[in-house]
Amino acid sequence: MGRLGDTLVAAGVIDEAQLRDALKATARTGQRLGEALVAAGRCTEQAIAGALAEQLGLPQATAADLAAPADGVRTLIGATFARVRQVVPLR
């Protein structure tokens, strides 16, 4: 798995100078790289999500992919478990 900044540069979302600036901002503010890039207006949250999905070899889920859980799922996975484990039902 590559590094987020390298993935964004390779995809042409940001350039090397923007990456360096964002890395300096993370050291100064304690933000994560993606947060610093979005806060600086260098890229979107969607671009960050896409790069992370690519790194992990997973498809990127969008709001359209979210579904209301079926009753059976609600019985199997309780609300507390879903909240703590950040479980999200997908179509």
Side-chain angles (χ1 to χ4, degrees):
M1 177 169 64
R3 297 170 65 129
L4 176 60
D6 295 334
T7 301
L8 292 167
V9 169
V13 175
I14 60 172
D15 60 33
E16 292 284 343
Q18 291 168 328
L19 175 57
R20 279 192 303 276
D21 290 344
L23 289 170
K24 288 176 188 174
T26 63
R28 208 174 42 252
T29 65
Q31 290 177 305
R32 293 181 175 196
L33 179 59
E35 293 170 333
L37 287 165
V38 171
R42 299 296 183 202
C43 66
T44 64
E45 290 180 357
Q46 290 80 9
I48 300 295
L52 291 172
E54 180 182 325
Q55 284 182 326
L56 297 171
L58 298 171
Q60 183 177 356
T62 65
D65 297 317
L66 300 177
D71 289 335
V73 173
R74 289 182 192 160
T75 302
L76 293 172
I77 301 173
T80 301
F81 179 88
R83 198 172 21 264
V84 169
R85 301 279 193 251
Q86 299 181 353
V87 174
V88 179
L90 300 175
R91 294 181 203 259

